[in-house]
Amino acid sequence: MTTAFRWLLRIFLGLSALVALTGAGAYWFASRSLPDYGASWRVEGVSAEVEIVRSNRNIPHIFGESDADVFFGLGFAHAQDRLWQMTMLRRTVQGRLSELFGARTVAIDDLMRRFDLYGAAQDSVEAQTPEARAALEAYAAGVNAWLAQVNDRGLGRGAPEFFLFSREIAPWTPADSLAVIKAMALQLTSQIEDEVLRAQLSALLPPERLRDILPDPPGAATVAMPDYASLFPGLDPVQLASLSPEPHDPLDPRRGPGFASASNAFAASPARSAGGGALLANDPHLGLSAPSIWYLARLELSSGGVIGGTIPGLPVVLSGRSDVLGWGLSTTGLDDQDLFIERLNPDNSEEYLTPEGWRQFRSRTTTIRVRDGADVSARLRWTENGPVLPGDRYNLAAVTPPGHVVALGWTALDRADTSFSAAYALMRAGSVDEALQA
């Protein structure tokens, strides 16, 4: 009995030591991914010394000899602290989540590739102003400089999360930064849902009741349209009333109507403030996440210092202040999306009707790579109005007449989107007039 007890005690102590060593090893490897803020780094891509001073709240204050060096420093700091967040935003827009999460995210990847937001971001790089494009390039160089340090010095995998998922991290590019704007655009719109809801209700309610529940904006309409049900009287009201919303995955970037209209801004004139200066309070209340979408930083630029909220992946202060100006960010709730009901050629389903006659869809095939599963192929189609969306998304099938498909027109699909250049000019504005011009 004593011998058995001794052996059990030895086994227990041995297993405890093994667990402790395993835990210590895992902690050591994971901690290697955490940045040392007191270290000095010798990197390529800057013209002179860049200083990143962290406050006791870990907010970086970045100083450099040139604006390019400052944006390089911001990219370096973003990558130190939020590399996983940045690469997740990029993967989301690219439609490549399934490479990490398997079959769970195939539907998300499929929809993102149909939008082709990343393609729009790539095309938009050349549309930026020379100054804005230089900032994007310097920022990307800063991100990649940190990736080089991670690889050269064996600093874990750049972020602890990469121990659980793929260790492959592609270099950052200016298009990746513009893709972050596209991700925000998707999160902050619900016009597709609104248009589908209006189409559904038009088949269930008389026109005057529909206008009571969903009133039209005041003023004259740019395009006068009859109610949807009168265009397609064959829609089944029973089917429309029995629809249930799509199940929402936390990895899906779409936030729906509840969050798409978020944010506030409050201002007080100098006459209303104790200090005799104008006051601005900005409340961009996006959904809760860990880490937060926002990242506070100070940039000392040639146009003056700015401090405020950045988004990892973007070299710009989106909500903040300089010595002469404060600015905030709030979603407008504008009608930025339109759904087009495209009629198919009954003799050739590869053609749709235009004012000039039948036209062939622009199409290509894409392959979604799925972790621990078979690859999934998807055929993407576009009309002159935008990408064709599948009927099982946004409840589109219920409001799509037989022999038709739905295409999406959306400002975020603009191949020459200069939103970043506008934000960049706003950050550097020296007066209210310059800010309005930006």
Side-chain angles (χ1 to χ4, degrees), residues 199-223:
Q200 291 173 296
L201 291 179
S202 72
L204 298 169
L205 301 172
E208 60 276 7
R209 184 59 175 152
L210 176 61
R211 286 192 294 271
D212 182 40
I213 296 176
L214 297 175
D216 293 324
T222 303
V223 178

mmCIF file with all atom_site columns, all heavy atoms in Angstrom, residues 199-223:
data_model
loop_
_atom_site.group_PDB
_atom_site.id
_atom_site.type_symbol
_atom_site.label_atom_id
_atom_site.label_alt_id
_atom_site.label_comp_id
_atom_site.label_asym_id
_atom_site.label_entity_id
_atom_site.label_seq_id
_atom_site.pdbx_PDB_ins_code
_atom_site.Cartn_x
_atom_site.Cartn_y
_atom_site.Cartn_z
_atom_site.occupancy
_atom_site.B_iso_or_equiv
_atom_site.pdbx_formal_charge
_atom_site.auth_seq_id
_atom_site.auth_comp_id
_atom_site.auth_asym_id
_atom_site.auth_atom_id
_atom_site.pdbx_PDB_model_num
ATOM 1   N N   . ALA A 1 199 ? -39.722 46.993 -50.012 1.00 0.00 ? 199 ALA A N   1
ATOM 2   C CA  . ALA A 1 199 ? -40.319 46.166 -51.068 1.00 0.00 ? 199 ALA A CA  1
ATOM 3   C C   . ALA A 1 199 ? -41.269 45.136 -50.473 1.00 0.00 ? 199 ALA A C   1
ATOM 4   O O   . ALA A 1 199 ? -42.354 44.880 -51.026 1.00 0.00 ? 199 ALA A O   1
ATOM 5   C CB  . ALA A 1 199 ? -39.209 45.476 -51.866 1.00 0.00 ? 199 ALA A CB  1
ATOM 6   N N   . GLN A 1 200 ? -40.876 44.548 -49.347 1.00 0.00 ? 200 GLN A N   1
ATOM 7   C CA  . GLN A 1 200 ? -41.746 43.572 -48.690 1.00 0.00 ? 200 GLN A CA  1
ATOM 8   C C   . GLN A 1 200 ? -43.056 44.215 -48.237 1.00 0.00 ? 200 GLN A C   1
ATOM 9   O O   . GLN A 1 200 ? -44.151 43.694 -48.490 1.00 0.00 ? 200 GLN A O   1
ATOM 10  C CB  . GLN A 1 200 ? -41.033 42.950 -47.493 1.00 0.00 ? 200 GLN A CB  1
ATOM 11  C CG  . GLN A 1 200 ? -39.870 42.033 -47.856 1.00 0.00 ? 200 GLN A CG  1
ATOM 12  C CD  . GLN A 1 200 ? -39.111 41.586 -46.624 1.00 0.00 ? 200 GLN A CD  1
ATOM 13  O OE1 . GLN A 1 200 ? -38.516 42.398 -45.919 1.00 0.00 ? 200 GLN A OE1 1
ATOM 14  N NE2 . GLN A 1 200 ? -39.112 40.295 -46.364 1.00 0.00 ? 200 GLN A NE2 1
ATOM 15  N N   . LEU A 1 201 ? -42.929 45.361 -47.560 1.00 0.00 ? 201 LEU A N   1
ATOM 16  C CA  . LEU A 1 201 ? -44.123 45.999 -47.017 1.00 0.00 ? 201 LEU A CA  1
ATOM 17  C C   . LEU A 1 201 ? -45.036 46.527 -48.119 1.00 0.00 ? 201 LEU A C   1
ATOM 18  O O   . LEU A 1 201 ? -46.256 46.620 -47.933 1.00 0.00 ? 201 LEU A O   1
ATOM 19  C CB  . LEU A 1 201 ? -43.725 47.124 -46.074 1.00 0.00 ? 201 LEU A CB  1
ATOM 20  C CG  . LEU A 1 201 ? -43.072 46.695 -44.758 1.00 0.00 ? 201 LEU A CG  1
ATOM 21  C CD1 . LEU A 1 201 ? -42.694 47.912 -43.924 1.00 0.00 ? 201 LEU A CD1 1
ATOM 22  C CD2 . LEU A 1 201 ? -43.986 45.760 -43.968 1.00 0.00 ? 201 LEU A CD2 1
ATOM 23  N N   . SER A 1 202 ? -44.475 46.879 -49.276 1.00 0.00 ? 202 SER A N   1
ATOM 24  C CA  . SER A 1 202 ? -45.313 47.404 -50.354 1.00 0.00 ? 202 SER A CA  1
ATOM 25  C C   . SER A 1 202 ? -46.283 46.353 -50.863 1.00 0.00 ? 202 SER A C   1
ATOM 26  O O   . SER A 1 202 ? -47.337 46.692 -51.423 1.00 0.00 ? 202 SER A O   1
ATOM 27  C CB  . SER A 1 202 ? -44.431 47.913 -51.501 1.00 0.00 ? 202 SER A CB  1
ATOM 28  O OG  . SER A 1 202 ? -43.833 46.836 -52.202 1.00 0.00 ? 202 SER A OG  1
ATOM 29  N N   . ALA A 1 203 ? -45.942 45.076 -50.700 1.00 0.00 ? 203 ALA A N   1
ATOM 30  C CA  . ALA A 1 203 ? -46.846 44.007 -51.121 1.00 0.00 ? 203 ALA A CA  1
ATOM 31  C C   . ALA A 1 203 ? -47.829 43.617 -50.015 1.00 0.00 ? 203 ALA A C   1
ATOM 32  O O   . ALA A 1 203 ? -48.790 42.898 -50.286 1.00 0.00 ? 203 ALA A O   1
ATOM 33  C CB  . ALA A 1 203 ? -46.044 42.781 -51.535 1.00 0.00 ? 203 ALA A CB  1
ATOM 34  N N   . LEU A 1 204 ? -47.606 44.111 -48.803 1.00 0.00 ? 204 LEU A N   1
ATOM 35  C CA  . LEU A 1 204 ? -48.460 43.752 -47.677 1.00 0.00 ? 204 LEU A CA  1
ATOM 36  C C   . LEU A 1 204 ? -49.392 44.865 -47.250 1.00 0.00 ? 204 LEU A C   1
ATOM 37  O O   . LEU A 1 204 ? -50.425 44.610 -46.631 1.00 0.00 ? 204 LEU A O   1
ATOM 38  C CB  . LEU A 1 204 ? -47.590 43.341 -46.477 1.00 0.00 ? 204 LEU A CB  1
ATOM 39  C CG  . LEU A 1 204 ? -46.683 42.123 -46.656 1.00 0.00 ? 204 LEU A CG  1
ATOM 40  C CD1 . LEU A 1 204 ? -45.703 42.015 -45.498 1.00 0.00 ? 204 LEU A CD1 1
ATOM 41  C CD2 . LEU A 1 204 ? -47.511 40.850 -46.763 1.00 0.00 ? 204 LEU A CD2 1
ATOM 42  N N   . LEU A 1 205 ? -49.027 46.129 -47.576 1.00 0.00 ? 205 LEU A N   1
ATOM 43  C CA  . LEU A 1 205 ? -49.775 47.280 -47.072 1.00 0.00 ? 205 LEU A CA  1
ATOM 44  C C   . LEU A 1 205 ? -50.187 48.192 -48.218 1.00 0.00 ? 205 LEU A C   1
ATOM 45  O O   . LEU A 1 205 ? -49.514 48.252 -49.242 1.00 0.00 ? 205 LEU A O   1
ATOM 46  C CB  . LEU A 1 205 ? -48.903 48.076 -46.081 1.00 0.00 ? 205 LEU A CB  1
ATOM 47  C CG  . LEU A 1 205 ? -48.384 47.329 -44.854 1.00 0.00 ? 205 LEU A CG  1
ATOM 48  C CD1 . LEU A 1 205 ? -47.392 48.196 -44.108 1.00 0.00 ? 205 LEU A CD1 1
ATOM 49  C CD2 . LEU A 1 205 ? -49.539 46.919 -43.948 1.00 0.00 ? 205 LEU A CD2 1
ATOM 50  N N   . PRO A 1 206 ? -51.258 48.955 -48.043 1.00 0.00 ? 206 PRO A N   1
ATOM 51  C CA  . PRO A 1 206 ? -51.615 49.962 -49.049 1.00 0.00 ? 206 PRO A CA  1
ATOM 52  C C   . PRO A 1 206 ? -50.581 51.089 -49.050 1.00 0.00 ? 206 PRO A C   1
ATOM 53  O O   . PRO A 1 206 ? -49.899 51.324 -48.049 1.00 0.00 ? 206 PRO A O   1
ATOM 54  C CB  . PRO A 1 206 ? -52.992 50.457 -48.585 1.00 0.00 ? 206 PRO A CB  1
ATOM 55  C CG  . PRO A 1 206 ? -53.061 50.107 -47.132 1.00 0.00 ? 206 PRO A CG  1
ATOM 56  C CD  . PRO A 1 206 ? -52.260 48.850 -46.970 1.00 0.00 ? 206 PRO A CD  1
ATOM 57  N N   . PRO A 1 207 ? -50.435 51.811 -50.169 1.00 0.00 ? 207 PRO A N   1
ATOM 58  C CA  . PRO A 1 207 ? -49.388 52.836 -50.288 1.00 0.00 ? 207 PRO A CA  1
ATOM 59  C C   . PRO A 1 207 ? -49.409 53.876 -49.185 1.00 0.00 ? 207 PRO A C   1
ATOM 60  O O   . PRO A 1 207 ? -48.360 54.281 -48.676 1.00 0.00 ? 207 PRO A O   1
ATOM 61  C CB  . PRO A 1 207 ? -49.659 53.459 -51.664 1.00 0.00 ? 207 PRO A CB  1
ATOM 62  C CG  . PRO A 1 207 ? -50.363 52.386 -52.430 1.00 0.00 ? 207 PRO A CG  1
ATOM 63  C CD  . PRO A 1 207 ? -51.190 51.652 -51.423 1.00 0.00 ? 207 PRO A CD  1
ATOM 64  N N   . GLU A 1 208 ? -50.600 54.350 -48.780 1.00 0.00 ? 208 GLU A N   1
ATOM 65  C CA  . GLU A 1 208 ? -50.656 55.399 -47.757 1.00 0.00 ? 208 GLU A CA  1
ATOM 66  C C   . GLU A 1 208 ? -50.167 54.882 -46.401 1.00 0.00 ? 208 GLU A C   1
ATOM 67  O O   . GLU A 1 208 ? -49.556 55.612 -45.621 1.00 0.00 ? 208 GLU A O   1
ATOM 68  C CB  . GLU A 1 208 ? -52.072 55.960 -47.632 1.00 0.00 ? 208 GLU A CB  1
ATOM 69  C CG  . GLU A 1 208 ? -53.151 54.963 -47.236 1.00 0.00 ? 208 GLU A CG  1
ATOM 70  C CD  . GLU A 1 208 ? -53.715 54.180 -48.415 1.00 0.00 ? 208 GLU A CD  1
ATOM 71  O OE1 . GLU A 1 208 ? -53.161 54.322 -49.535 1.00 0.00 ? 208 GLU A OE1 1
ATOM 72  O OE2 . GLU A 1 208 ? -54.695 53.443 -48.224 1.00 0.00 ? 208 GLU A OE2 1
ATOM 73  N N   . ARG A 1 209 ? -50.439 53.609 -46.100 1.00 0.00 ? 209 ARG A N   1
ATOM 74  C CA  . ARG A 1 209 ? -49.959 53.031 -44.848 1.00 0.00 ? 209 ARG A CA  1
ATOM 75  C C   . ARG A 1 209 ? -48.448 52.833 -44.890 1.00 0.00 ? 209 ARG A C   1
ATOM 76  O O   . ARG A 1 209 ? -47.742 53.039 -43.890 1.00 0.00 ? 209 ARG A O   1
ATOM 77  C CB  . ARG A 1 209 ? -50.655 51.695 -44.584 1.00 0.00 ? 209 ARG A CB  1
ATOM 78  C CG  . ARG A 1 209 ? -50.299 51.047 -43.258 1.00 0.00 ? 209 ARG A CG  1
ATOM 79  C CD  . ARG A 1 209 ? -50.656 51.951 -42.098 1.00 0.00 ? 209 ARG A CD  1
ATOM 80  N NE  . ARG A 1 209 ? -50.416 51.271 -40.824 1.00 0.00 ? 209 ARG A NE  1
ATOM 81  C CZ  . ARG A 1 209 ? -50.125 51.898 -39.691 1.00 0.00 ? 209 ARG A CZ  1
ATOM 82  N NH1 . ARG A 1 209 ? -50.018 53.218 -39.685 1.00 0.00 ? 209 ARG A NH1 1
ATOM 83  N NH2 . ARG A 1 209 ? -49.939 51.212 -38.580 1.00 0.00 ? 209 ARG A NH2 1
ATOM 84  N N   . LEU A 1 210 ? -47.919 52.462 -46.059 1.00 0.00 ? 210 LEU A N   1
ATOM 85  C CA  . LEU A 1 210 ? -46.480 52.291 -46.211 1.00 0.00 ? 210 LEU A CA  1
ATOM 86  C C   . LEU A 1 210 ? -45.758 53.607 -45.985 1.00 0.00 ? 210 LEU A C   1
ATOM 87  O O   . LEU A 1 210 ? -44.727 53.656 -45.290 1.00 0.00 ? 210 LEU A O   1
ATOM 88  C CB  . LEU A 1 210 ? -46.162 51.745 -47.608 1.00 0.00 ? 210 LEU A CB  1
ATOM 89  C CG  . LEU A 1 210 ? -44.683 51.591 -47.964 1.00 0.00 ? 210 LEU A CG  1
ATOM 90  C CD1 . LEU A 1 210 ? -43.992 50.614 -47.030 1.00 0.00 ? 210 LEU A CD1 1
ATOM 91  C CD2 . LEU A 1 210 ? -44.518 51.133 -49.403 1.00 0.00 ? 210 LEU A CD2 1
ATOM 92  N N   . ARG A 1 211 ? -46.308 54.700 -46.540 1.00 0.00 ? 211 ARG A N   1
ATOM 93  C CA  . ARG A 1 211 ? -45.677 56.015 -46.343 1.00 0.00 ? 211 ARG A CA  1
ATOM 94  C C   . ARG A 1 211 ? -45.756 56.458 -44.891 1.00 0.00 ? 211 ARG A C   1
ATOM 95  O O   . ARG A 1 211 ? -44.917 57.215 -44.417 1.00 0.00 ? 211 ARG A O   1
ATOM 96  C CB  . ARG A 1 211 ? -46.337 57.042 -47.262 1.00 0.00 ? 211 ARG A CB  1
ATOM 97  C CG  . ARG A 1 211 ? -45.953 56.900 -48.732 1.00 0.00 ? 211 ARG A CG  1
ATOM 98  C CD  . ARG A 1 211 ? -46.397 58.103 -49.533 1.00 0.00 ? 211 ARG A CD  1
ATOM 99  N NE  . ARG A 1 211 ? -47.847 58.213 -49.585 1.00 0.00 ? 211 ARG A NE  1
ATOM 100 C CZ  . ARG A 1 211 ? -48.607 57.636 -50.514 1.00 0.00 ? 211 ARG A CZ  1
ATOM 101 N NH1 . ARG A 1 211 ? -48.041 56.914 -51.476 1.00 0.00 ? 211 ARG A NH1 1
ATOM 102 N NH2 . ARG A 1 211 ? -49.923 57.782 -50.489 1.00 0.00 ? 211 ARG A NH2 1
ATOM 103 N N   . ASP A 1 212 ? -46.768 55.970 -44.173 1.00 0.00 ? 212 ASP A N   1
ATOM 104 C CA  . ASP A 1 212 ? -46.896 56.314 -42.754 1.00 0.00 ? 212 ASP A CA  1
ATOM 105 C C   . ASP A 1 212 ? -45.818 55.621 -41.925 1.00 0.00 ? 212 ASP A C   1
ATOM 106 O O   . ASP A 1 212 ? -45.237 56.214 -41.014 1.00 0.00 ? 212 ASP A O   1
ATOM 107 C CB  . ASP A 1 212 ? -48.299 55.908 -42.278 1.00 0.00 ? 212 ASP A CB  1
ATOM 108 C CG  . ASP A 1 212 ? -48.527 56.284 -40.829 1.00 0.00 ? 212 ASP A CG  1
ATOM 109 O OD1 . ASP A 1 212 ? -48.095 57.380 -40.417 1.00 0.00 ? 212 ASP A OD1 1
ATOM 110 O OD2 . ASP A 1 212 ? -49.125 55.484 -40.086 1.00 0.00 ? 212 ASP A OD2 1
ATOM 111 N N   . ILE A 1 213 ? -45.537 54.355 -42.254 1.00 0.00 ? 213 ILE A N   1
ATOM 112 C CA  . ILE A 1 213 ? -44.542 53.586 -41.491 1.00 0.00 ? 213 ILE A CA  1
ATOM 113 C C   . ILE A 1 213 ? -43.119 53.926 -41.936 1.00 0.00 ? 213 ILE A C   1
ATOM 114 O O   . ILE A 1 213 ? -42.211 54.081 -41.100 1.00 0.00 ? 213 ILE A O   1
ATOM 115 C CB  . ILE A 1 213 ? -44.814 52.071 -41.666 1.00 0.00 ? 213 ILE A CB  1
ATOM 116 C CG1 . ILE A 1 213 ? -46.164 51.706 -41.066 1.00 0.00 ? 213 ILE A CG1 1
ATOM 117 C CG2 . ILE A 1 213 ? -43.712 51.250 -41.021 1.00 0.00 ? 213 ILE A CG2 1
ATOM 118 C CD1 . ILE A 1 213 ? -46.551 50.267 -41.274 1.00 0.00 ? 213 ILE A CD1 1
ATOM 119 N N   . LEU A 1 214 ? -42.932 54.048 -43.244 1.00 0.00 ? 214 LEU A N   1
ATOM 120 C CA  . LEU A 1 214 ? -41.615 54.377 -43.795 1.00 0.00 ? 214 LEU A CA  1
ATOM 121 C C   . LEU A 1 214 ? -41.746 55.649 -44.622 1.00 0.00 ? 214 LEU A C   1
ATOM 122 O O   . LEU A 1 214 ? -41.842 55.601 -45.854 1.00 0.00 ? 214 LEU A O   1
ATOM 123 C CB  . LEU A 1 214 ? -41.096 53.225 -44.668 1.00 0.00 ? 214 LEU A CB  1
ATOM 124 C CG  . LEU A 1 214 ? -40.846 51.892 -43.963 1.00 0.00 ? 214 LEU A CG  1
ATOM 125 C CD1 . LEU A 1 214 ? -40.459 50.817 -44.973 1.00 0.00 ? 214 LEU A CD1 1
ATOM 126 C CD2 . LEU A 1 214 ? -39.762 52.026 -42.911 1.00 0.00 ? 214 LEU A CD2 1
ATOM 127 N N   . PRO A 1 215 ? -41.771 56.798 -43.981 1.00 0.00 ? 215 PRO A N   1
ATOM 128 C CA  . PRO A 1 215 ? -42.003 58.052 -44.723 1.00 0.00 ? 215 PRO A CA  1
ATOM 129 C C   . PRO A 1 215 ? -40.859 58.357 -45.676 1.00 0.00 ? 215 PRO A C   1
ATOM 130 O O   . PRO A 1 215 ? -39.697 58.053 -45.411 1.00 0.00 ? 215 PRO A O   1
ATOM 131 C CB  . PRO A 1 215 ? -42.097 59.095 -43.609 1.00 0.00 ? 215 PRO A CB  1
ATOM 132 C CG  . PRO A 1 215 ? -41.362 58.500 -42.449 1.00 0.00 ? 215 PRO A CG  1
ATOM 133 C CD  . PRO A 1 215 ? -41.584 57.023 -42.541 1.00 0.00 ? 215 PRO A CD  1
ATOM 134 N N   . ASP A 1 216 ? -41.213 58.977 -46.799 1.00 0.00 ? 216 ASP A N   1
ATOM 135 C CA  . ASP A 1 216 ? -40.205 59.412 -47.761 1.00 0.00 ? 216 ASP A CA  1
ATOM 136 C C   . ASP A 1 216 ? -39.459 60.624 -47.216 1.00 0.00 ? 216 ASP A C   1
ATOM 137 O O   . ASP A 1 216 ? -40.023 61.413 -46.451 1.00 0.00 ? 216 ASP A O   1
ATOM 138 C CB  . ASP A 1 216 ? -40.865 59.779 -49.098 1.00 0.00 ? 216 ASP A CB  1
ATOM 139 C CG  . ASP A 1 216 ? -41.465 58.572 -49.783 1.00 0.00 ? 216 ASP A CG  1
ATOM 140 O OD1 . ASP A 1 216 ? -40.860 57.492 -49.684 1.00 0.00 ? 216 ASP A OD1 1
ATOM 141 O OD2 . ASP A 1 216 ? -42.534 58.714 -50.406 1.00 0.00 ? 216 ASP A OD2 1
ATOM 142 N N   . PRO A 1 217 ? -38.202 60.813 -47.601 1.00 0.00 ? 217 PRO A N   1
ATOM 143 C CA  . PRO A 1 217 ? -37.485 62.033 -47.207 1.00 0.00 ? 217 PRO A CA  1
ATOM 144 C C   . PRO A 1 217 ? -38.199 63.257 -47.763 1.00 0.00 ? 217 PRO A C   1
ATOM 145 O O   . PRO A 1 217 ? -38.821 63.194 -48.824 1.00 0.00 ? 217 PRO A O   1
ATOM 146 C CB  . PRO A 1 217 ? -36.101 61.861 -47.845 1.00 0.00 ? 217 PRO A CB  1
ATOM 147 C CG  . PRO A 1 217 ? -35.967 60.392 -48.090 1.00 0.00 ? 217 PRO A CG  1
ATOM 148 C CD  . PRO A 1 217 ? -37.351 59.895 -48.371 1.00 0.00 ? 217 PRO A CD  1
ATOM 149 N N   . PRO A 1 218 ? -38.123 64.381 -47.062 1.00 0.00 ? 218 PRO A N   1
ATOM 150 C CA  . PRO A 1 218 ? -38.790 65.591 -47.559 1.00 0.00 ? 218 PRO A CA  1
ATOM 151 C C   . PRO A 1 218 ? -38.130 66.103 -48.824 1.00 0.00 ? 218 PRO A C   1
ATOM 152 O O   . PRO A 1 218 ? -36.957 65.827 -49.094 1.00 0.00 ? 218 PRO A O   1
ATOM 153 C CB  . PRO A 1 218 ? -38.631 66.578 -46.404 1.00 0.00 ? 218 PRO A CB  1
ATOM 154 C CG  . PRO A 1 218 ? -37.435 66.089 -45.643 1.00 0.00 ? 218 PRO A CG  1
ATOM 155 C CD  . PRO A 1 218 ? -37.456 64.598 -45.772 1.00 0.00 ? 218 PRO A CD  1
ATOM 156 N N   . GLY A 1 219 ? -38.885 66.857 -49.617 1.00 0.00 ? 219 GLY A N   1
ATOM 157 C CA  . GLY A 1 219 ? -38.350 67.432 -50.840 1.00 0.00 ? 219 GLY A CA  1
ATOM 158 C C   . GLY A 1 219 ? -38.662 66.584 -52.055 1.00 0.00 ? 219 GLY A C   1
ATOM 159 O O   . GLY A 1 219 ? -39.193 65.473 -51.960 1.00 0.00 ? 219 GLY A O   1
ATOM 160 N N   . ALA A 1 220 ? -38.317 67.144 -53.205 1.00 0.00 ? 220 ALA A N   1
ATOM 161 C CA  . ALA A 1 220 ? -38.578 66.442 -54.464 1.00 0.00 ? 220 ALA A CA  1
ATOM 162 C C   . ALA A 1 220 ? -37.570 65.324 -54.666 1.00 0.00 ? 220 ALA A C   1
ATOM 163 O O   . ALA A 1 220 ? -36.379 65.487 -54.406 1.00 0.00 ? 220 ALA A O   1
ATOM 164 C CB  . ALA A 1 220 ? -38.515 67.435 -55.624 1.00 0.00 ? 220 ALA A CB  1
ATOM 165 N N   . ALA A 1 221 ? -38.043 64.196 -55.142 1.00 0.00 ? 221 ALA A N   1
ATOM 166 C CA  . ALA A 1 221 ? -37.173 63.056 -55.395 1.00 0.00 ? 221 ALA A CA  1
ATOM 167 C C   . ALA A 1 221 ? -36.381 63.263 -56.678 1.00 0.00 ? 221 ALA A C   1
ATOM 168 O O   . ALA A 1 221 ? -36.868 63.872 -57.635 1.00 0.00 ? 221 ALA A O   1
ATOM 169 C CB  . ALA A 1 221 ? -37.998 61.777 -55.496 1.00 0.00 ? 221 ALA A CB  1
ATOM 170 N N   . THR A 1 222 ? -35.152 62.749 -56.688 1.00 0.00 ? 222 THR A N   1
ATOM 171 C CA  . THR A 1 222 ? -34.343 62.817 -57.904 1.00 0.00 ? 222 THR A CA  1
ATOM 172 C C   . THR A 1 222 ? -34.952 61.943 -58.997 1.00 0.00 ? 222 THR A C   1
ATOM 173 O O   . THR A 1 222 ? -35.017 62.321 -60.169 1.00 0.00 ? 222 THR A O   1
ATOM 174 C CB  . THR A 1 222 ? -32.903 62.361 -57.609 1.00 0.00 ? 222 THR A CB  1
ATOM 175 O OG1 . THR A 1 222 ? -32.370 63.176 -56.572 1.00 0.00 ? 222 THR A OG1 1
ATOM 176 C CG2 . THR A 1 222 ? -32.034 62.490 -58.846 1.00 0.00 ? 222 THR A CG2 1
ATOM 177 N N   . VAL A 1 223 ? -35.406 60.765 -58.594 1.00 0.00 ? 223 VAL A N   1
ATOM 178 C CA  . VAL A 1 223 ? -36.061 59.841 -59.519 1.00 0.00 ? 223 VAL A CA  1
ATOM 179 C C   . VAL A 1 223 ? -37.377 59.414 -58.884 1.00 0.00 ? 223 VAL A C   1
ATOM 180 O O   . VAL A 1 223 ? -37.380 58.898 -57.765 1.00 0.00 ? 223 VAL A O   1
ATOM 181 C CB  . VAL A 1 223 ? -35.179 58.612 -59.800 1.00 0.00 ? 223 VAL A CB  1
ATOM 182 C CG1 . VAL A 1 223 ? -35.909 57.647 -60.726 1.00 0.00 ? 223 VAL A CG1 1
ATOM 183 C CG2 . VAL A 1 223 ? -33.849 59.030 -60.411 1.00 0.00 ? 223 VAL A CG2 1
#
